Amino acid sequence: MIATWQTWRRLSLPLKLASLFLVVYGLLSLVPVLWVFSLSLRAGREVFTTLFVPSSLHPENYLVAWERFGFATLFRNSILVTAASVLLTLAVASLAAYAFARLRFRGADVVFFALLLGVMVPPAAAIVPLFVMFKGLAVFNNQGALVATYVAFGLPIAVLILRGFFLTIPAELVEAAKIDGCSELGAFWRIVLPLSRPALATVTIFLCMSNWNEFLLALVFLRDTELYTLPVGIAQFVGQWDSPWELVAAGVIIAALPIWLLYLGLQEQFVKGLTAGALKG
Amino acid sequence: MITDSANLRSLRQPLRRPPWRRLTGLLFVLPALVFFALLLLYPILLTFYLAFTRWTGFDASQIEFVGWANFAEMLGDRVFWLSFWHTIGFVIGTTVLLNLLGLGFALLVDLRLPGSGFFKAVLFLPVLLSPVLVGVMWSRMLDAFGIVNQLLKLAGLTKTPILFLGDPQLSLATVVLATVWQYTAYDMLIYFAGLQAIPGVLLEAAAIDGAGPLTRVRRITIPLLTPVITVVLLLNFIGGFKVFDVVYVMTRGGPNHHSEVLATYLYEQAFRFNAMGYASALALVIVALSFAVSYLRMRTAGSVEELS
């Protein structure tokens, strides 16, 4: 704090203003969050009359919102769907990426190019056939079908990032392991994967974020309220106009908080995961 | 001669992979291929087919092939054109604002002034959220009883509250605003990463030659940043074409289609009116827009690799 103050004092006037501007803009962009937080602690009658600081605090709003909107179920569903889809994508994508990086096989280029094109396909472009297919296969309104779809749409970017990383691992390491008696799968599992932790972390964060927040597919595929994931639950219960404002606000904070807490702990990884995914995609 | 070619072959042999190894490659790719082919490739191809049919989505035997009829209908459909131009407007509005703010803030943050750490951390918070949450927050903020109208009234600027989301002139703009609020830090961080790759020597040399800070930005930073700028522009474009969540939550495309975008119109056609053929044709418009832009992206891909 003192060091910051001393650097600030030594700055020229334009830089002082620039520094001040950053802080003020940062605070302003926090206003929506702070306002929602203040709403979430108000008594119902104070929702429309108070600007920022409520006269009495009502943390019990959080308990009411948690119960009323069924957050326990929503969190459980979102955690299940995200964990299953991300783990499955990682397993399937890392195997494929390894094959594209190290094992040449007939048709590899064609498959890889198709996969590359897949990066650009938005879910909206496939949603009608998927909806009809799942209905025909009687897996409509089924979280498994949603997970499988997330895997398919997460694969292209995951393969792309992992392949790029696998290419930087010296081939000698893999060859040495094989001379020592490792199978192809063994070398992949014991040598390549452990060395690829940074890339796996990047892909994991990227996939977790996009699947955790995904809305359109979940909205179309899930009909039973007990199956809803968080975004669908928030759109259908929390965001409804007949929901009391202080409960809506508490619901928003409840839904946002876990990710923000994770971000506090893993700030570097989050930034890397999200921007790396962007640059490669 | 015969021995010669036999020798050649034996020399070449070790370079070639044994057949079992080629099979291993295929086996490694197989699981991915199954997911990809069944749940991405096949549905996309089906979208192309369905776009030329009329169908309610219930009984496959009632799919009726209608040729270009859906596209012909589209040309005369007022709501399609509204959603098309709103999508373009959304894309341009968000892209311009996000890039101006993102690049500007990246340059400011790169000065490493006191407070820039706080700034970066705070601005990144909404990037992590689902657009659904952002939509819920902003629709309350902009409501007649929300903080924006409360402040406007306090400042004496308005007597009656402005219905941002219910105003045909304002609803799309509010959705743009919420999206810009959410993703400014995203663009900023990519630009910031790009700035780190610019050799400091160049900027120092220019400074010694008497170039002021603004000249340095204009003459050195921006030109060297061009590949990154292209990437961010295209990212924002592709993200914008498929926008759905935030519009669905904030306005449902309303009032009276005044903020309808292609994805929300597709959703309405497919899942309200069961017009699967027409919805598929709309999906193809989104695909065409994304691919047109992605094509440009692929042509600049070479310069992107170095960055990451």
Side-chain angles (χ1 to χ4, degrees):
Chain A
M1 219 38 209
I2 296 164
T4 314
W5 172 244
Q6 276 172 350
T7 359
W8 199 78
R9 264 185 32 189
R10 263 183 266 120
L11 295 174
S12 64
L13 186 66
L15 288 183
K16 266 184 192 159
L17 288 177
S19 161
L20 209 63
F21 174 70
L22 282 183
V23 174
V24 170
Y25 192 95
L27 287 173
L28 274 179
S29 76
L30 257 186
V31 164
V33 177
L34 292 177
W35 180 68
V36 169
F37 182 62
S38 127
L39 262 187
S40 74
L41 292 170
R42 296 182 197 179
R45 67 193 140 71
E46 248 194 304
V47 162
F48 301 129
T49 53
T50 309
L51 200 58
F52 253 109
V53 186
S55 59
S56 59
L57 296 180
H58 296 267
E60 72 274 10
N61 286 344
Y62 282 83
L63 289 177
V64 180
W66 179 273
E67 284 301 321
R68 175 170 171 146
F69 302 132
F71 268 111
T73 317
L74 294 178
F75 271 111
R76 197 198 57 211
N77 291 340
S78 267
I79 288 171
L80 263 173
V81 166
T82 306
S85 60
V86 171
L87 286 176
L88 205 55
T89 315
L90 281 176
V92 171
S94 58
L95 278 173
Y98 182 69
F100 287 125
R102 288 271 172 256
L103 319 162
R104 303 301 300 158
F105 57 94
R106 199 167 300 177
D109 294 335
V110 180
V111 178
F112 189 66
F113 185 71
L115 220 57
L116 261 178
L117 286 181
V119 175
M120 302 154 194
V121 175
I127 196 145
V128 167
L130 284 170
F131 170 80
V132 178
M133 270 167 61
F134 289 153
K135 278 198 135 172
L137 296 168
V139 287
F140 182 65
N141 193 19
N142 179 315
Q143 287 176 342
L146 186 67
V147 167
T149 312
Y150 285 169
V151 173
F153 277 86
L155 267 176
I157 183 82
V159 170
L160 215 63
I161 296 176
L162 290 174
R163 174 182 166 270
F165 193 86
F166 291 165
L167 283 173
T168 65
I169 295 175
E172 289 81 5
L173 281 175
V174 181
E175 294 305 324
K178 277 198 255 167
I179 289 168
D180 290 346
C182 262
S183 64
E184 197 71 64
L185 200 62
F188 167 73
W189 181 251
R190 279 163 213 228
I191 309 291
V192 175
L193 277 191
L195 285 173
S196 308
R197 268 192 215 120
L200 290 171
T202 303
V203 175
T204 306
I205 292 210
F206 182 77
L207 292 174
C208 278
M209 290 304 301
S210 41
N211 294 359
W212 181 265
N213 290 333
E214 202 284 330
F215 179 56
L216 177 62
L217 293 169
L219 176 73
V220 171
F221 294 163
L222 305 173
R223 282 292 145 87
D224 288 344
T225 50
E226 309 92 76
L227 297 179
Y228 281 177
T229 54
L230 267 171
V232 185
I234 288 158
Q236 308 294 65
F237 314 142
V238 184
Q240 290 308 308
W241 284 102
D242 52 4
S243 305
W245 286 47
E246 70 279 13
L247 297 186
V248 172
V252 167
I253 301 288
I254 290 174
L257 214 55
I259 303 160
W260 283 342
L261 289 177
L262 265 184
Y263 166 66
L264 275 185
L266 302 164
Q267 213 162 335
E268 291 283 297
Q269 268 97 334
F270 264 95
V271 171
K272 235 181 94 191
L274 286 177
T275 49
L279 286 181
K280 296 258 164 126
Chain B
M1 278 311 273
I2 292 160
T3 44
D4 249 23
S5 71
N7 271 343
L8 260 180
R9 204 178 303 136
S10 68
L11 271 176
R12 219 187 293 139
Q13 213 92 62
L15 291 174
R16 284 190 154 192
R17 313 273 168 171
W20 60 265
R21 196 153 172 200
R22 263 180 273 157
L23 197 65
T24 323
L26 208 58
L27 281 177
F28 271 59
V29 180
L30 198 63
L33 208 57
V34 170
F35 277 102
F36 181 74
L38 285 182
L39 295 169
L40 205 156
L41 203 58
Y42 175 64
I44 294 290
L45 295 176
L46 219 53
T47 302
F48 274 86
Y49 169 66
L50 287 175
F52 295 92
T53 66
R54 192 156 293 154
W55 188 35
T56 53
F58 290 108
D59 185 353
S61 67
Q62 289 186 340
I63 301 179
E64 181 196 348
F65 191 81
V66 292
W68 293 92
N70 286 325
F71 295 94
E73 189 184 331
M74 217 181 255
L75 292 178
D77 179 356
R78 189 186 65 94
V79 181
F80 163 73
W81 285 112
L82 279 177
S83 65
F84 180 83
W85 290 115
H86 290 153
T87 307
I88 303 283
F90 176 87
V91 166
I92 292 176
T94 50
T95 305
V96 168
L97 288 173
L98 281 173
N99 280 276
L100 285 178
L101 290 173
L103 183 54
F105 284 141
L107 287 166
L108 273 182
V109 166
D110 200 33
L111 296 172
R112 284 153 223 277
L113 300 166
S116 57
F118 162 80
F119 178 77
K120 269 203 298 191
V122 162
L123 236 65
F124 201 68
L125 288 179
V127 177
L128 300 159
L129 299 182
S130 157
V132 172
L133 272 181
V134 172
V136 171
M137 286 170 75
W138 279 78
S139 40
R140 299 285 163 156
M141 266 177 52
L142 296 169
D143 181 80
F145 302 105
I147 184 162
V148 174
N149 273 313
Q150 275 182 321
L151 285 173
L152 285 174
K153 200 174 152 197
L154 267 182
L157 290 170
T158 52
K159 281 210 183 75
T160 50
I162 301 174
L163 300 170
F164 292 95
L165 299 174
D167 186 324
Q169 242 91 71
L170 293 174
S171 58
L172 189 66
T174 58
V175 178
V176 170
L177 196 71
T179 306
V180 170
W181 176 75
Q182 177 168 24
Y183 290 119
T184 300
Y186 191 67
D187 281 20
M188 177 184 81
L189 283 169
I190 301 178
Y191 278 130
F192 185 73
L195 287 177
Q196 307 316 303
I198 294 177
V201 194
L202 284 177
L203 295 165
E204 278 162 37
I208 291 170
D209 288 348
L214 285 180
T215 320
R216 270 175 282 160
V217 166
R218 208 159 48 87
R219 289 292 172 81
I220 298 175
T221 312
I222 304 267
L224 284 176
L225 218 53
T226 313
V228 186
I229 297 177
T230 327
V231 171
V232 177
L233 283 177
L234 296 173
L235 268 174
N236 292 163
F237 265 81
I238 294 169
F241 285 138
K242 59 179 184 192
V243 63
F244 175 80
D245 310 7
V246 74
V247 179
Y248 180 88
V249 171
M250 285 180 76
T251 65
R252 300 263 158 135
N256 191 21
H257 300 298
H258 277 288
S259 60
E260 199 80 76
V261 289
L262 287 170
T264 52
Y265 192 44
L266 183 164
Y267 177 84
E268 186 181 64
Q269 287 295 329
F271 306 112
R272 283 261 148 89
F273 304 143
N274 295 322
M276 295 303 177
Y278 196 60
S280 298
L282 289 168
L284 286 193
V285 176
I286 301 179
V287 172
L289 287 171
S290 313
F291 267 75
V293 172
S294 302
Y295 176 71
L296 294 173
R297 163 111 164 76
M298 266 175 23
R299 289 181 51 175
T300 57
S303 40
V304 184
E305 292 292 313
E306 303 149 25
L307 231 173
S308 36

